[in-house]
Amino acid sequence: MSTYGGYITRLSRKVEARLADIEAIFNFDLGAEFEVAMCVLLEDILPAKFGVCRGFVITEDGRSAGDDLIIYDKMSCPMLRASISRQYSIKEQIPVEAVYAYIECKHSMNDNVVVEKAITQTRSVKELILSRRSRGNPNYEKDGPAYNGKARDWPRIYPPIKNQPFCAIFARMFDPEVVIPSQHEALNPDLLVLGANHIATQSVVLGPDGIKGALFYDDKYWSGLRVESAPGNAFGVGIVTLLQALSWIKLEPIDWSGTLNATFVENLLGNN
């Protein structure tokens, strides 16, 4: 059964066609070209408030992580770019408070070394983002939804903080023989788009109802990263999953007072 007139299937076809067009220009022999292609693609798809760039997530005290694709709040942290064309070859530094999502882009995931390296990178980025000031989720149910005054054996739909980072891996090509690790790790990526035909998501155990894919990690009902077949529509499923996460995340405003004060002091001391 499809919805919205087969939206995900239609989106997948358009994504594949768009990637093919971009591939003719950039070539995807190297991961950097695929990163640029994904930036172009996502900036065309995402609502205007979301910025897309390549670069690093950085904290106020100078700690940084990542060097792939970042989705950030363009309203609170605008980037100055040449208006003639989008300069995705330039790597930006995005304040951690402005980051919605981080995507590790790989042209090919055909061996376990590449997989582990990509997952390690996303873990580092998620750990850094989680060090920012949290925005509590007022609707979070610690023990899951209650029914007739009793907690149900059912997972919480969303995490305890509203500015929970969403981290993903997008791969143009994937070898199904490669093993995706499924260890209990809160910092693991939330989504993997594995070529055109496979995805992996966080999953939760629903007792007698089996196992279900989850948008975010759940520390009580967690059941690992789970690879599923998505014949021909993995990119559509992945992008709609990303949209679902982005629509839920609410960031805290950036507090620029420390940066402003430090700059004023530097100006007074003549150190600029």
Side-chain angles (χ1 to χ4, degrees), residues 4-6 26 37 65 69 106-107 133 147 152 181 202 213 216-217 223 247 257:
Y4 296 111
F26 290 105
L69 192 155
K106 296 295 180 186
H107 171 253
R133 182 163 56 103
Y147 181 73
R152 299 179 62 178
Q202 295 283 357
F216 296 99
Y217 171 84
S223 185
S247 69
S257 58

Side-chain angles (χ1 to χ4, degrees), residues 143-238:
D143 297 314
Y147 181 73
N148 287 338
K150 295 183 179 180
R152 299 179 62 178
D153 185 18
W154 195 262
R156 298 166 292 277
I157 297 176
Y158 293 110
I161 59 173
K162 285 288 290 180
N163 58 343
Q164 173 76 20
F166 189 81
C167 291
I169 298 171
F170 276 60
R172 180 70 169 132
M173 308 294 292
F174 173 67
D175 181 353
E177 298 298 319
V178 171
V179 176
I180 302 298
S182 185
Q183 64 265 44
H184 194 296
E185 174 55 73
L187 298 176
N188 271 347
D190 304 289
L191 168 72
L192 291 86
V193 176
L194 303 167
N197 301 313
H198 295 85
I199 63 166
T201 62
Q202 295 283 357
S203 61
V204 288
V205 177
L206 304 183
D209 293 317
I211 296 175
K212 174 186 175 183
L215 195 59
F216 296 99
Y217 171 84
D218 187 296
D219 63 356
K220 183 173 181 180
Y221 294 93
W222 182 86
S223 185
L225 284 170
R226 191 161 174 253
V227 178
E228 298 184 61
S229 177
N233 65 15
F235 278 98
V237 171

Side-chain angles (χ1 to χ4, degrees), residues 21-42:
D21 289 342
I22 299 170
E23 186 172 10
I25 299 171
F26 290 105
N27 193 357
F28 288 164
D29 288 340
L30 299 175
E33 284 77 9
F34 183 57
E35 287 176 40
V36 171
M38 287 303 303
C39 284
V40 173
L41 182 68
L42 289 176

Side-chain angles (χ1 to χ4, degrees), residues 44-269:
D44 286 345
I45 292 173
L46 296 179
K49 73 173 184 177
F50 298 109
V52 181
C53 71
R54 298 169 65 218
F56 306 90
V57 178
I58 189 166
T59 63
E60 189 175 18
D61 61 5
R63 291 172 293 142
S64 67
D67 66 352
D68 273 25
L69 192 155
I70 300 169
I71 299 173
Y72 64 95
D73 183 0
K74 194 158 54 176
M75 306 301 290
S76 68
C77 184
M79 294 290 106
L80 296 177
R81 292 181 181 172
S83 58
I84 299 175
S85 63
R86 292 176 284 190
Q87 300 295 310
Y88 295 122
S89 59
I90 299 173
K91 293 200 173 185
E92 308 283 359
Q93 293 184 331
I94 304 298
V96 67
E97 294 83 2
V99 176
Y100 281 99
Y102 174 81
I103 300 175
E104 188 77 11
C105 298
K106 296 295 180 186
H107 171 253
S108 177
M109 293 182 69
N110 55 10
D111 65 60
N112 293 329
V113 174
V114 174
V115 171
E116 189 56 43
K117 182 178 179 181
I119 291 177
T120 299
Q121 184 85 310
T122 57
R123 285 174 182 162
S124 297
V125 174
K126 184 180 281 191
E127 183 176 28
L128 185 68
I129 299 175
L130 285 170
S131 70
R132 68 189 175 189
R133 182 163 56 103
S134 297
R135 178 173 187 164
N137 174 10
N139 298 317
Y140 178 71
E141 297 168 294
K142 182 178 179 181
D143 297 314
Y147 181 73
N148 287 338
K150 295 183 179 180
R152 299 179 62 178
D153 185 18
W154 195 262
R156 298 166 292 277
I157 297 176
Y158 293 110
I161 59 173
K162 285 288 290 180
N163 58 343
Q164 173 76 20
F166 189 81
C167 291
I169 298 171
F170 276 60
R172 180 70 169 132
M173 308 294 292
F174 173 67
D175 181 353
E177 298 298 319
V178 171
V179 176
I180 302 298
S182 185
Q183 64 265 44
H184 194 296
E185 174 55 73
L187 298 176
N188 271 347
D190 304 289
L191 168 72
L192 291 86
V193 176
L194 303 167
N197 301 313
H198 295 85
I199 63 166
T201 62
Q202 295 283 357
S203 61
V204 288
V205 177
L206 304 183
D209 293 317
I211 296 175
K212 174 186 175 183
L215 195 59
F216 296 99
Y217 171 84
D218 187 296
D219 63 356
K220 183 173 181 180
Y221 294 93
W222 182 86
S223 185
L225 284 170
R226 191 161 174 253
V227 178
E228 298 184 61
S229 177
N233 65 15
F235 278 98
V237 171
I239 289 173
V240 172
T241 300
L242 175 64
L243 286 170
Q244 175 76 2
L246 294 176
S247 69
W248 183 81
I249 296 169
K250 300 295 181 186
L251 301 178
E252 284 284 275
I254 298 178
D255 183 357
W256 292 106
S257 58
T259 300
L260 287 169
N261 290 337
T263 303
F264 280 122
V265 169
E266 289 176 356
N267 288 345
L268 288 171
L269 297 176

